[in-house]
Amino acid sequence: MEEDGDEIPEPTPVHEVEKEGPNEAVVLIDVWMPPFRDEMETKIIKKTVTVPRWLNTKWPKLTC
């Protein structure tokens, strides 16, 4: 919903949620989204770095 720009609806109050059976319970789940958004981000960032000559000589084909 967030990625599509859809409006996120307000949560239903716990006392208004209907249980389907006597052995079921209503559970409130609170989620803080910023860490998950960062983890799910798929952008690739290219960086150019300078390395010492000895490192380049020792591992010339080192790739990440």
Side-chain angles (χ1 to χ4, degrees):
M1 293 179 81
E2 278 184 333
E3 292 175 357
D4 296 334
D6 297 339
E7 184 176 329
I8 298 175
E10 290 295 317
T12 302
V14 175
H15 66 277
E16 291 182 15
V17 177
E18 294 182 19
K19 299 184 285 185
E20 294 181 10
N23 295 328
E24 295 186 357
V26 177
V27 179
L28 177 63
I29 299 175
D30 186 22
V31 178
W32 190 51
M33 290 303 296
F36 296 101
R37 286 186 204 112
D38 292 343
E39 188 70 29
M40 292 170 37
E41 187 66 44
T42 58
K43 289 183 182 177
I44 296 173
I45 300 171
K46 181 180 178 181
K47 294 188 176 199
T48 303
V49 298
T50 303
V51 296
R53 183 175 180 192
W54 66 265
L55 181 61
N56 190 54
T57 303
K58 190 165 186 170
W59 293 285
K61 295 181 181 180
L62 180 64
T63 58
C64 296

